[in-house]
Amino acid sequence: MLERMFDLARLTAEQRRAATYDGGNLLIAAGAGTGKTTAVAARLAHLVSSGVAPERILLLTFSRRAAAELLQRAEQVTGREVAARAWGGTFHAIANRFLRRHGRAIGVPPSFTVLDRADTADLLALVRDELASPSDLAGRPDGRRARRRARKETLADILSRCTNTRTPLSAMLHAHYPWCAEERAEMRETFEAYTARKRARSVLDYDDLLLCWGALLEAPDVATLLRAQFDHILVDEYQDTNALQADLLEGMCGGGALVTAVGDDAQAIYSFRAATHRNIMEFPVRFSAEMVALEQNHRSTPAILAVTNAVIAEAAGRHAKRLWSLREGRGRPALVRCDDESDQSRQVCARILEHHEQATPLRAQAVLVRSAHHSDLLELELTARNIPFVKYGGLRFLEAAHVKDLLCLLRLAENPHDELAWFRILQFLDGVGPATARRVTGALVAAMLPLAALEEAGETEGGLLASVSDDARAGALGLARTVTETAALGEERAGPALQRARRWLDPRLEHRYTDVEARRADLEQLTLAAAGASTLRQFLADLTLDPPAATSDLAGPPHLDEDFITISTIHSAKGCEWDVVHLLHVADGNIPSDLATGDAEAVEEERRLLYVAMTRARNQLYAYLPLRYHHRRFGQEDPHGYAQLSRFFTPGVLACLEDQSPATEAAAPGDGPSLRHVPDHPAMQRLDRAIASLWD
């Protein structure tokens, strides 16, 4: 059965061994492009076909889409209902389900709402400002702070990394945020106040979900239920887990459940999200597991694999794998040395167009960069040549202001004590600014029934809204009724709830934003997505825990006639593949990043990042090295520095590359005479002798 239909290809011997393994715990060390998804789906199908009830299987992935795809493929093979019965989703989504069912055992009500990353930063900033002493504002007539403090996003990052890595604040600041060390006492006070505020308002942030899952495993009665619920636990992308997630996985095995972890230690590149490379390296010992390595690559040509194998062979600490392929390919990957960044942009565009003329669509090509700003000059060149492109690695869909407006309105329908949601939505009322919104918010969240309190304030001239206009009071009354009706509709279906909320919000968007029609189109995509969801609570949880990157994630794949080049950071490109990959700025200081070169572990992660970039290529790979970097590109002077090839391009790696250096290429027509061919003219000889006379 397993050989029937996974991508119309037979399972390899390695995949078959992993899929049908009937021993204890298992680690599938799946190299890039080796059919990891096929192997996991085949293992799911094997378990169900062997008599394991789907509801006794827990599948943990890093996106809801990945879980759905794996479960649906297993269902197609077995012919049994798997997707609707098995437990599948991200760590955070599964934690959310457990807490809705069992949270009361640890004091978490089932009506809690979840803060996304941006909300976490906003709430941290709010409580920090409330704690600020008058001396912080002293010495500035405009009231601005006399000293610089960490950005709210930095606060959120520090808190999350401390939580997920179990690292004390002082050690975290010393190792990763030394410029914030003087703020340790203030941060500790802020984090304590932030935690108290969350608990009082019945809200959880991302990290709370995992922490509370851990707390459930320490509550004896609930722990027994959770551990007895599953016979098999499968974890995808295990190299991207953090210390807390590994502890949760170990805690779930107490009832005898067997674990299958799938991942590639060579693609562990998310330490900035608190993921740790140690988890996958230590898995065989920690879980007494067998390891099966997948090495047959189905994506890249042997020439590309020769380069990637050479890069990763020099990594410190890895599970031994050497990828190979039966594919045929023409030519070797190329190292393209360019005069400077502008020349790099021209060379990239020339090769993109060359491949396009050879029938490789633009959408089958990608430009990968270590950091988003590394593509700035290229974007100008692409625009000048009318080459369409899309860029990944920027603002996420749910971070857009108008989308957050709608989500806050919906969150109030689920949790009327949501402080951040009130603070944002109240400012849509005429004449209500931050100060009034904060005062009213404080009163509403302190009330037993916030919606009743707001409705009463909207109907009377005094009281809570005494200082606002009649229009604002009318708007408040309409807001209270909108939230009430949205909540009632949301108990049945999410779609009608969004439509009701938008009847209040949409007319107000044009008073706050430009490009209103484009923003309404985004909200329409969200409304269409909600039409297929169940309750409003589930829709909000899914959006928060597994957010779309853009409206394209909600709208589906692009039309066949849409053609564009993809520009992406390497981190955002993980999991993708293209026929042709152009990798920019392979210079020391860019990759590895100069921010990582002081730490051995960070340098090793940068090596793995280069490996991930190279393994995205199917047919051709170009790595570009500008020989000069101009410090001020548009000034009258020309200050510049010379680049050094990335330390990861060792002699073993260079031996696998075609070196396309300006010094070895013939000058193109119209480029002028090359310096290598300047004739030995008598005038130049006299000049040289005159200058040489100065050296005595």
Side-chain angles (χ1 to χ4, degrees):
M1 175 182 291
L2 292 179
E3 295 184 350
R4 274 206 317 234
M5 345 323 25
F6 283 96
D7 298 330
L8 303 179
R10 297 172 63 87
L11 293 176
T12 66
E14 300 162 343
Q15 291 171 331
R16 189 181 305 109
R17 182 185 169 206
T20 60
Y21 179 76
D22 288 325
N25 297 326
L26 174 67
L27 172 63
I28 303 176
T34 57
K36 168 186 68 80
T37 302
T38 295
V40 177
R43 178 144 185 80
L44 274 169
H46 172 74
L47 292 175
V48 174
S49 300
S50 301
V52 179
E55 58 269 23
R56 303 285 298 171
I57 298 174
L58 172 61
L59 172 63
L60 294 167
T61 65
F62 277 81
S63 74
R64 180 161 43 98
R65 181 179 296 179
E69 178 187 353
L70 288 168
L71 293 172
Q72 288 167 1
R73 291 178 68 176
E75 187 171 283
Q76 291 170 0
V77 172
T78 61
R80 297 177 56 182
E81 187 179 33
V82 177
R85 294 171 60 189
W87 281 60
T90 66
F91 274 89
H92 295 87
I94 295 299
N96 178 70
R97 290 182 66 180
F98 285 155
L99 290 168
R100 301 290 181 188
R101 291 189 176 191
H102 307 292
R104 290 191 186 278
I106 58 171
V108 177
S111 61
F112 68 86
T113 52
V114 181
L115 299 177
D116 64 20
R117 301 294 187 192
D119 292 329
T120 295
D122 288 342
L123 186 54
L124 282 166
L126 180 66
V127 298
R128 182 175 63 175
D129 287 345
E130 291 175 354
L131 294 170
S133 64
S135 61
D136 287 337
L137 300 174
R140 296 290 295 271
D142 58 1
R144 296 178 63 186
R145 305 200 179 279
R147 63 183 179 87
R148 181 183 178 186
R149 297 193 297 177
R151 297 169 61 245
K152 61 182 181 179
E153 292 82 5
T154 303
L155 280 181
D157 288 343
I158 292 171
L159 176 60
S160 183
R161 293 187 71 170
C162 286
T163 300
N164 286 290
T165 63
R166 307 294 179 89
T167 303
L169 176 61
S170 56
M172 180 61 67
L173 294 178
H174 176 75
H176 300 288
Y177 304 89
W179 61 91
C180 299
E182 294 182 357
E183 302 177 45
R184 182 168 66 89
E186 182 185 63
M187 285 186 186
R188 182 173 60 247
E189 190 177 5
T190 299
F191 294 160
E192 290 173 353
Y194 166 77
T195 301
R197 186 70 62 89
K198 286 187 299 178
R199 301 298 174 256
R201 306 293 184 249
S202 296
V203 296
L204 303 179
D205 61 24
Y206 274 24
D207 299 325
D208 285 330
L209 292 171
L210 300 186
L211 291 171
C212 290
W213 183 355
L216 290 177
L217 291 174
E218 294 177 1
D221 292 341
V222 178
T224 301
L225 288 173
L226 294 182
R227 289 169 178 148
Q229 188 170 346
F230 304 106
D231 295 326
H232 288 270
I233 302 175
L234 283 74
V235 189
D236 193 16
E237 303 287 4
Y238 190 72
Q239 78 280 351
D240 295 334
T241 56
N242 59 44
L244 178 54
Q245 290 166 331
D247 290 345
L248 291 174
L249 183 61
E250 187 175 36
M252 289 294 291
C253 298
L258 297 178
V259 179
T260 298
V262 188
D264 183 7
D265 55 285
Q267 298 187 69
I269 59 172
Y270 291 118
S271 66
F272 67 92
R273 296 181 185 170
T276 173
H277 180 244
R278 294 190 187 95
N279 279 357
I280 194 167
M281 297 305 300
E282 296 172 357
F283 184 90
V285 174
R286 184 173 187 177
F287 290 89
S288 302
E290 182 79 12
M291 187 180 87
V292 174
L294 305 186
E295 298 179 308
Q296 182 177 350
N297 181 284
H298 307 283
R299 175 188 300 160
S300 304
T301 64
I304 292 175
L305 294 181
V307 177
T308 61
N309 284 332
V311 168
I312 206 62
E314 301 187 30
R318 68 188 186 95
H319 292 305
K321 298 184 298 296
R322 186 168 185 81
L323 304 187
W324 58 277
S325 175
L326 295 175
R327 285 197 57 203
E328 296 182 358
R330 296 179 301 175
R332 295 188 298 169
L335 172 63
V336 183
R337 302 178 192 262
C338 312
D339 290 334
D340 54 21
E341 293 175 273
S342 296
D343 185 41
Q344 175 181 248
S345 299
R346 291 190 292 269
Q347 298 250 24
V348 171
C349 288
R351 284 171 173 80
I352 287 173
L353 294 175
E354 179 183 353
H355 282 284
H356 188 258
E357 291 171 359
Q358 295 172 357
T360 301
L362 295 179
R363 62 179 176 272
Q365 303 186 57
V367 176
L368 303 186
V369 290
R370 171 63 180 85
S371 300
H373 68 274
H374 286 171
S375 64
D376 288 351
L377 274 183
L378 175 63
E379 292 172 41
L380 294 175
E381 186 73 17
L382 290 169
T383 302
R385 298 193 186 208
N386 292 320
I387 301 175
F389 65 90
V390 293
K391 185 174 182 179
Y392 294 92
L395 183 68
R396 308 286 290 183
F397 178 60
L398 296 190
E399 294 171 2
H402 55 293
V403 177
K404 288 193 71 68
D405 293 336
L406 178 57
L407 293 181
C408 282
L409 187 53
L410 297 174
R411 279 165 42 191
L412 289 174
E414 279 300 302
N415 179 8
H417 288 91
D418 191 323
E419 184 175 14
L420 287 177
W422 277 123
F423 180 70
R424 188 181 191 97
I425 293 301
L426 285 172
Q427 293 182 67
F428 272 95
L429 303 179
D430 291 340
V432 174
T436 302
R438 181 167 295 183
R439 176 179 60 80
V440 176
T441 293
L444 291 177
V445 297
M448 182 69 69
L449 300 172
L451 293 176
L454 182 62
E455 189 166 355
E456 180 182 351
E459 292 174 338
T460 60
E461 293 187 4
L464 188 58
L465 297 176
S467 61
V468 304
S469 66
D470 291 342
D471 287 342
R473 279 196 296 274
L477 180 61
L479 173 60
R481 293 172 178 171
T482 293
V483 173
T484 300
E485 294 172 14
T486 299
L489 292 169
E491 292 179 357
E492 300 294 331
R493 301 292 298 176
L498 261 75
Q499 292 172 356
R500 177 63 186 91
R502 289 187 60 194
R503 278 167 47 195
W504 185 89
L505 181 63
D506 279 19
R508 291 168 168 81
L509 292 178
E510 60 191 30
H511 298 297
R512 175 170 291 195
Y513 302 116
T514 58
D515 303 325
V516 175
E517 291 307 315
R519 295 176 188 270
R520 283 178 177 155
D522 285 344
L523 300 187
E524 187 62 31
Q525 288 288 349
L526 206 57
T527 305
L528 292 174
S534 55
T535 65
L536 178 60
R537 174 179 296 176
Q538 187 61 49
F539 178 68
L540 286 175
D542 288 344
L543 273 182
T544 305
L545 300 176
D546 189 19
T551 52
S552 59
D553 281 5
L554 301 171
H559 298 296
L560 293 178
D561 59 350
E562 294 178 358
D563 202 13
F564 46 78
I565 195 79
T566 296
I567 300 175
S568 174
T569 61
I570 301 173
H571 286 101
S572 296
K574 188 170 176 290
C576 302
E577 58 184 69
W578 293 272
D579 287 348
V580 181
V581 168
H582 307 266
L583 176 60
L584 304 192
H585 297 290
V586 292
D588 244 39
N590 292 326
I591 187 164
S593 168
D594 52 7
L595 297 178
T597 52
D599 180 83
E601 286 191 14
V603 170
E604 285 303 312
E605 180 161 323
E606 293 288 308
R607 186 193 309 275
R608 296 193 293 269
L609 197 61
L610 175 63
Y611 174 84
V612 167
M614 289 180 163
T615 53
R616 301 309 95 197
R618 284 192 288 252
N619 300 330
Q620 186 55 266
L621 170 67
Y622 298 99
Y624 297 83
L625 172 67
L627 300 179
R628 289 186 298 173
Y629 283 90
H630 298 276
H631 307 312
R632 292 196 301 272
R633 299 189 187 104
F634 305 112
Q636 293 183 350
E637 300 177 355
D638 184 29
H640 63 270
Y642 289 95
Q644 179 177 335
L645 180 63
S646 170
R647 68 191 69 183
F648 302 139
F649 284 72
T650 60
V653 175
L654 291 174
C656 302
L657 292 167
E658 177 185 343
D659 195 334
Q660 297 183 2
S661 168
T664 61
E665 292 179 338
D671 284 349
S674 168
L675 292 179
R676 299 187 303 277
H677 304 296
V678 174
D680 192 17
H681 196 279
M684 295 302 298
Q685 294 177 356
R686 289 194 298 272
L687 178 61
D688 289 343
R689 286 195 297 271
I691 295 176
S693 67
L694 302 175
W695 308 150
D696 58 7

